[in-house]
Amino acid sequence: MSDWSSAPLSLVQAVYAQCRTLPDWEKKVTDYFKEKLQDDGSREVPSLNDAPLHYLRHGELVHFRCMIQDMFDPEYYMGVYETVELSTGTRALHLGKYRDVADCTPQQEVDLHSSQTVTLERQTFYCVPVPGESLWVKEMYSNSRHTRTSPSTSYTPNRQKRSLEEEDDDVTHQDTQQAGDGREKCKRLETEQQWRCQTAETPSGSQSLDRYFPLPGEKGPACLVKVYENWDGFKVNDVLEVYGVLCVEPALSTLNEDRDPMSSLLDPADMAETLEEQRAHSPPTSLVPRIHAIVIQKLPHTNPLIPSSVSESEASKQSVSSFMSELSSVRSDLLGFLTHALLGDGLAAEYLILHLISTVYARRDVLPLGKFSLNLSGCPRSCDFTQRLYSILQQIVTASHYLPMTIDTMNGLRFVPCKDYSTNRLVSGLLQLPAHTLLLVDETVLEQGQLDTAGVRNLTALGNVITWQKVDYDFSYHQMEFPCNVNVLVTSEGRSLLPSDCQVHLKPQTCPPSLEPYMEALLSATLPAMLNKFRMYLSLLQLMDYTITEEITKIKGQRSSGPDWPRVPICRGDWTAWPCTSVCRGDGT
């Protein structure tokens, strides 16, 4: 591994030592790393999305693809600090950027009262892996990198032939190192267990890290990402690509009561008001590592087949340009693919394509423009049709979640994120989703029962996402509106209880004896190259700019001026609940 990725802090310190008098020395650092990450350079950087944390080394450059789940208050740190050699009194300046702990040997101490000290500000994001990210997305990203296959402690440098005495010394050194690694691992496990036990005894209940994952059952390496510039351009629920310095420093644990206070660079946990808040904001780095971002950007999408980051090569960009000429034929193939998935209903497949490529492109006052929620009624409930359909859609969308609309689900899950003031943390909810996520709501599993207060709130929140593309986060004393861009597909037997922009009644043309082998055969018959084209088609059409001609604008204006807009065309049903458009077929259904 190159020095720029294995020891980035040494490189940053060297640039600082040479160019600290120049006003743009920090830009030189980020430009250097951006250049290194171009083309195949990013393949050399291990990713927290793929490699276990114990396979990575403290202080090396890592990659992380994530969503901002929470944003902490800005924190102060020592951007520049001075150390004093205890034996000689020699002084030296050090850069505190991209660090949590001072680079100070046992023979040195930090002069906290030095006139050379520079206090700076940085922002901290609590980030989790992209919720609902499809398996094919994870596999493609993982295959594009040189995956770390062994723990970092197992790494040994190449050795030349030496005397037996030297080899005996090596064996003794390796035994000592292995013993030290074992003690460090035991200490880490003890710290984690102590943190879990103490947080479980807090007045607000268990501070399990699961509270900060939007979707139930999802696991992954949550991280505290430290951002040093332009953090005002990011917001909660943004999807990020981060290249930064990994920090797994045990001294950062708030449980380490005997740590040297001089070594901490104004740890934000020390400024927390309560012990409970300290534990929530500074968990052990073995559970929640820190990443000090050098290169960070907001991702417009997470499709690995489409360029979106500084690390993409020109070849991948050219492949997208050539793909644009195939859009018409790919759409035809996708229509056939979805027609089979919908049991031969071509009209429903047409509307499903429109739903999958829809996106909120603008907002006029409270009205989100571009959304197209779909209610697919007439779905059988006896053969797990919705779950089989979801397994097909998972193969072509980048992120999705299946939500069975049972009484237990509606009453038992938290849909809306809420603020926990005892820890000063945002507790996540199921509707805290990144843009372009497909949320499939299965209403066919709904049984008779009664919604409690939480269930009614969840149903209302789900309706607000569909109608207004917003989620009102619960801050106890008030609600705060967070816009979203989630594609909601509702399957039901009859007309859905939820709102929708369009209702299509499924008209199966084929009745396979068993849906599972039928759907599996459909996927087996579709070549991986064709699936990739479907994936590119859906993502590209969501991101493409387009113009509306004057003729179409006039037609839209005529329709919107009607008394029943948007309730036309109407073929059946009443409008006592929610306005939507029902699709009229030639046979009157």
Side-chain angles (χ1 to χ4, degrees):
M1 184 179 288
S2 304
D3 290 342
W4 65 271
S5 57
S6 61
L9 287 178
S10 299
L11 188 146
V12 173
Q13 179 66 33
V15 173
Y16 169 73
Q18 296 177 3
C19 309
R20 64 174 179 242
T21 58
L22 301 178
D24 61 341
W25 75 267
E26 293 173 314
K27 186 176 183 300
K28 291 181 180 294
V29 171
T30 55
D31 288 346
Y32 174 84
F33 280 96
K34 285 181 180 179
E35 182 180 354
K36 286 294 185 181
L37 292 171
Q38 291 288 345
D39 298 329
D40 292 336
S42 61
R43 294 168 56 89
E44 302 295 330
V45 181
S47 177
L48 267 174
N49 298 101
D50 310 323
L53 182 59
H54 63 279
Y55 280 27
L56 305 176
R57 288 188 291 270
H58 169 74
E60 73 174 325
L61 191 72
V62 296
H63 166 268
F64 191 38
R65 188 178 62 261
C66 56
M67 185 193 79
I68 302 176
Q69 190 273 325
D70 195 6
M71 304 175 76
F72 296 172
D73 294 331
E75 64 186 42
Y76 295 99
Y77 72 102
M78 289 183 180
V80 177
Y81 61 97
E82 191 173 30
T83 59
V84 181
E85 193 78 27
L86 297 178
S87 59
T88 64
T90 304
R91 292 177 172 270
L93 287 179
H94 300 266
L95 181 68
K97 196 173 185 180
Y98 310 126
R99 295 180 182 274
D100 279 301
V101 177
D103 184 16
C104 185
T105 67
Q107 291 75 36
Q108 295 175 327
E109 69 175 12
V110 178
D111 184 0
L112 295 178
H113 304 289
S114 171
S115 60
Q116 303 289 331
T117 300
V118 179
T119 302
L120 299 176
E121 189 180 30
R122 63 190 177 194
Q123 178 63 278
T124 302
F125 300 154
Y126 189 94
C127 296
V128 297
V130 180
E133 190 173 63
S134 297
L135 181 61
W136 66 268
V137 174
K138 296 178 181 178
E139 290 177 347
M140 281 194 179
Y141 276 121
S142 178
N143 293 336
S144 67
R145 296 181 178 276
H146 299 311
T147 305
R148 191 72 59 83
T149 57
S150 60
S152 59
T153 54
S154 66
Y155 172 78
T156 54
N158 292 330
R159 296 169 51 198
Q160 298 179 353
K161 294 182 179 180
R162 287 171 291 179
S163 66
L164 291 176
E165 183 178 354
E166 288 178 325
E167 292 191 4
D168 289 341
D169 291 341
D170 284 344
V171 170
T172 303
H173 174 73
Q174 290 178 10
D175 290 343
T176 304
Q177 182 178 7
Q178 290 176 1
D181 292 339
R183 287 193 297 270
E184 182 180 351
K185 180 178 180 181
C186 292
K187 178 65 175 177
R188 184 180 72 246
L189 294 176
E190 180 182 354
T191 301
E192 293 176 6
Q193 184 62 29
Q194 185 180 0
W195 181 84
R196 289 191 176 99
C197 292
Q198 291 192 8
T199 54
E201 297 170 357
T202 57
S204 62
S206 174
Q207 296 299 320
S208 169
L209 297 179
D210 294 342
R211 304 173 78 219
Y212 310 120
F213 284 86
L215 300 179
E218 287 213 334
K219 302 294 181 182
C223 290
L224 291 179
V225 177
K226 311 278 186 175
V227 184
Y228 290 84
E229 55 189 15
N230 301 325
W231 58 73
D232 291 337
F234 303 107
K235 59 184 184 296
V236 171
N237 302 337
D238 280 349
V239 176
L240 306 179
E241 182 177 52
V242 181
Y243 289 90
V245 181
L246 177 67
C247 176
V248 284
E249 179 60 60
L252 293 178
S253 173
T254 58
L255 301 175
N256 191 359
E257 298 177 356
D258 59 349
R259 64 176 177 176
D260 182 7
M262 301 289 287
S263 67
S264 177
L265 295 183
L266 294 181
D267 187 352
D270 295 336
M271 297 181 286
E273 293 184 358
T274 65
L275 181 61
E276 193 172 356
E277 185 176 341
Q278 285 184 3
R279 291 168 178 160
H281 283 253
S282 188
T285 56
S286 54
L287 290 175
V288 183
R290 280 59 161 166
I291 299 179
H292 295 266
I294 298 178
V295 178
I296 181 172
Q297 68 167 349
K298 178 181 175 180
L299 291 179
H301 64 84
T302 57
N303 192 328
L305 299 168
I306 301 175
S308 62
S309 68
V310 296
S311 59
E312 297 290 350
S313 64
E314 288 298 326
S316 62
K317 296 177 182 178
Q318 292 175 2
S319 66
V320 172
S321 299
S322 62
F323 176 76
M324 299 301 291
S325 61
E326 304 179 41
L327 287 181
S328 180
S329 61
V330 172
R331 187 190 190 282
S332 178
D333 292 333
L334 177 60
L335 178 61
F337 177 77
L338 294 179
T339 298
H340 281 86
L342 294 173
L343 307 180
D345 191 338
L347 182 62
E350 289 273 8
Y351 277 88
L352 182 55
I353 291 178
L354 296 177
H355 166 74
L356 293 175
I357 65 175
S358 65
T359 185
V360 177
Y361 63 87
R363 292 179 186 267
R364 296 291 182 266
D365 296 327
V366 297
L367 183 65
L369 305 180
K371 75 180 183 71
F372 185 67
S373 59
L374 180 63
N375 171 212
L376 193 62
S377 61
C379 297
R381 62 181 301 171
S382 57
C383 55
D384 296 331
F385 169 77
T386 300
Q387 295 185 41
R388 303 303 175 192
L389 175 63
Y390 176 69
S391 66
I392 294 292
L393 297 178
Q394 272 187 308
Q395 299 298 319
I396 58 176
V397 298
T398 56
S400 60
H401 180 63
Y402 169 76
L403 176 62
M405 196 174 168
T406 63
I407 296 296
D408 291 340
T409 298
M410 300 301 294
N411 290 340
L413 293 183
R414 180 191 297 109
F415 281 29
V416 176
C418 64
K419 184 74 171 183
D420 183 351
Y421 286 96
S422 63
T423 60
N424 196 23
R425 285 296 313 273
L426 181 67
V427 180
S428 191
L430 187 142
L431 295 179
Q432 189 178 10
L433 299 172
H436 310 308
T437 299
L438 172 65
L439 179 61
L440 198 159
V441 182
D442 186 0
E443 203 174 297
T444 65
V445 298
L446 185 62
E447 301 284 353
Q448 288 186 352
Q450 185 173 0
L451 294 178
D452 57 18
T453 303
V456 173
R457 281 200 303 263
N458 287 337
L459 186 64
T460 302
L462 195 54
N464 286 335
V465 170
I466 296 173
T467 305
W468 308 112
Q469 285 293 310
K470 68 167 186 174
V471 181
D472 295 323
Y473 287 21
D474 183 8
F475 282 75
S476 296
Y477 309 106
H478 67 283
Q479 291 185 335
M480 185 175 295
E481 181 179 306
F482 282 75
C484 62
N485 189 2
V486 178
N487 296 46
V488 184
L489 173 63
V490 182
T491 59
S492 59
E493 284 187 287
R495 190 175 191 131
S496 173
L497 299 175
L498 294 166
S500 64
D501 296 312
C502 181
Q503 177 197 357
V504 180
H505 193 82
L506 185 67
K507 298 284 289 185
Q509 304 299 309
T510 181
C511 296
S514 178
L515 271 181
E516 184 175 1
Y518 175 83
M519 295 297 189
E520 290 178 353
L522 174 60
L523 284 177
S524 300
T526 307
L527 297 176
M530 183 57 67
L531 280 177
N532 286 341
K533 289 184 177 182
F534 295 163
R535 295 159 179 167
M536 292 179 66
Y537 176 87
L538 295 177
S539 294
L540 281 174
L541 263 66
Q542 281 188 322
L543 299 170
M544 284 176 59
D545 294 327
Y546 60 90
T547 57
I548 300 177
T549 64
E550 185 177 352
E551 181 181 358
I552 297 298
T553 303
K554 290 180 179 179
I555 295 176
K556 181 181 178 182
Q558 292 171 0
R559 294 186 64 191
S560 62
S561 63
D564 290 325
W565 176 262
R567 304 179 179 184
V568 292
I570 301 175
C571 298
R572 61 187 182 280
D574 57 60
W575 296 100
T576 57
W578 301 89
C580 80
T581 299
S582 295
V583 175
C584 182
R585 299 175 184 267
D587 57 3
T589 61

